[in-house]
Amino acid sequence: MPFQNITLDVSDQVATLTVNRPDKLNALNDLTVSELGQAVEEIRSRADVGGAILTGSGNKAFVAGADIAELAKQGPLEGRERARRGQEVLRRIETSPKPIIAAVNGFALGGGCELAMACHVRIAAENAKFGQPEVKLGIGPGYGGSQRLPRLVGQGRALELILTAEMISAQEAYRIGLVNAVVPAAELMAHATAMLRKMLANGPVALAMSIEAVVRGMELPLDDALRLEADQFGLLAATEDMREGMRAFLEKRAPHFTGR
Ligand code: COA
């Protein structure tokens, strides 16, 4: 079934996933979250996809948050269920073995900031704005913001952003480490695509294991995380890609990785 609130285009290994509700500043209603979940599974499973760029349609918003019209009607159990569903979809993005880059083209507020934080890398357009304004609505972050924001920018800055509910500019987001780069709006997709292509020139198994080592390793005690890294290091020695990568270096040529 075709999607209603998102689009998914694949070209030469690069999937572009666009949240497409521009009249509502791409706010995440339940249908959009569900479609995002389906699209992420497609990205993870399709052999013709090496990685993805996640963005919003129009030039004003990446995603302006969860859909407040839906939140306004929720009771406690429904609210918890909604948060769990959103968290699960974002976790599938974060644990994707294929790199996913957020191209933040405007407002990334609440669930939008949380969606961007679940991606592996964030590139912001100069006009992008970030924030976790939930407390203004009498709620707190529900899609992982209370956990991913402090991990990215530190506890003090995360609490400042969450408790003041203030929006920050792309430059400020860059200064505190919330985004990896800020580029002119017209160059955003080209920049994100170039970065993703740079990643995809490398061995896919090595990419997948590196994502797992960082994302899962961050949650483990250091000794367990180091063990995970060492196990992966050993496992990669069984791959044809490792032999090819090293052979190519010694033969002074570009490697041709096959993912085996
Ligand atoms: N949920 C539902 N609808 C939203 C939305 C959201 N999170 N964010 C924006 N919209 C809708 C508006 O209601 C409006 O719809 P309408 O034209 O049918 O009235 C449309 O998107 C355009 O938004 P508008 O507020 O008119 O644009 P603006 O340029 O004046 O302001 C924002 C932009 C982002 C500052 C403002 O929309 C905003 O504060 N949005 C909510 C952000 C938020 O609190 N997110 C966290 C939710 S938990």
Side-chain angles (χ1 to χ4, degrees), residues 23-25 27 60 64-68 71 107 109 133-134 137 167:
D23 54 324
K24 296 291 177 193
L25 303 187
K60 200 169 161 188
D67 190 307
I68 297 169
L71 299 187
F107 291 113
L109 303 175
E134 289 89 345
L137 300 165
M167 270 193 253

Side-chain angles (χ1 to χ4, degrees), residues 151-170:
R151 281 168 171 76
L152 274 169
V153 306
Q155 183 172 320
R157 285 184 173 127
L159 278 168
E160 182 182 338
L161 277 168
I162 291 168
L163 299 182
T164 62
E166 273 190 359
M167 270 193 253
I168 57 170
S169 66

Side-chain angles (χ1 to χ4, degrees), residues 42-58:
E42 214 178 306
I43 287 164
R44 290 175 69 122
S45 63
R46 272 175 67 165
D48 63 336
V49 172
I53 296 170
L54 174 53
T55 193
S57 73

Side-chain angles (χ1 to χ4, degrees), residues 205-214 216-217 225-239 242:
V205 187
L207 290 179
M209 289 205 181
S210 298
I211 291 172
E212 191 192 16
V214 172
R216 198 144 71 83
L226 291 173
R227 177 61 182 265
L228 172 67
E229 186 189 78
D231 286 348
Q232 290 184 339
F233 200 73
L235 205 53
L236 285 166
T239 62
M242 187 193 91

Side-chain angles (χ1 to χ4, degrees), residues 11-173:
S11 166
D12 194 15
Q13 292 286 310
V14 171
T16 304
L17 174 53
T18 308
V19 182
N20 189 24
R21 291 183 82 205
D23 54 324
K24 296 291 177 193
L25 303 187
N26 303 322
L28 299 177
N29 62 1
D30 292 343
L31 178 62
T32 310
V33 171
S34 158
E35 290 187 346
L36 274 175
Q38 291 170 48
V40 173
E41 296 314 314
E42 214 178 306
I43 287 164
R44 290 175 69 122
S45 63
R46 272 175 67 165
D48 63 336
V49 172
I53 296 170
L54 174 53
T55 193
S57 73
N59 55 11
K60 200 169 161 188
F62 172 70
V63 164
D67 190 307
I68 297 169
E70 282 187 352
L71 299 187
K73 295 185 220 133
Q74 74 190 10
L77 295 179
E78 209 184 334
R80 183 171 68 177
E81 198 38 48
R82 178 169 283 129
R84 292 300 295 155
R85 276 198 309 268
Q87 288 172 354
E88 277 164 20
V89 170
L90 268 54
R91 188 68 172 151
R92 293 293 285 169
I93 292 174
E94 187 171 46
T95 59
S96 160
K98 301 173 184 176
I100 301 182
I101 296 179
V104 183
N105 56 311
F107 291 113
L109 303 175
C113 189
E114 291 169 311
L115 183 61
M117 288 192 289
C119 295
H120 300 124
V121 165
R122 285 148 293 285
I123 314 289
E126 280 167 346
N127 63 308
K129 294 247 186 306
F130 295 80
Q132 295 288 160
E134 289 89 345
V135 294
K136 271 195 198 169
L137 300 165
I139 55 173
Y143 291 170
S146 66
Q147 300 310 304
R148 291 195 181 95
L149 190 57
R151 281 168 171 76
L152 274 169
V153 306
Q155 183 172 320
R157 285 184 173 127
L159 278 168
E160 182 182 338
L161 277 168
I162 291 168
L163 299 182
T164 62
E166 273 190 359
M167 270 193 253
I168 57 170
S169 66
Q171 277 305 337
E172 177 64 0

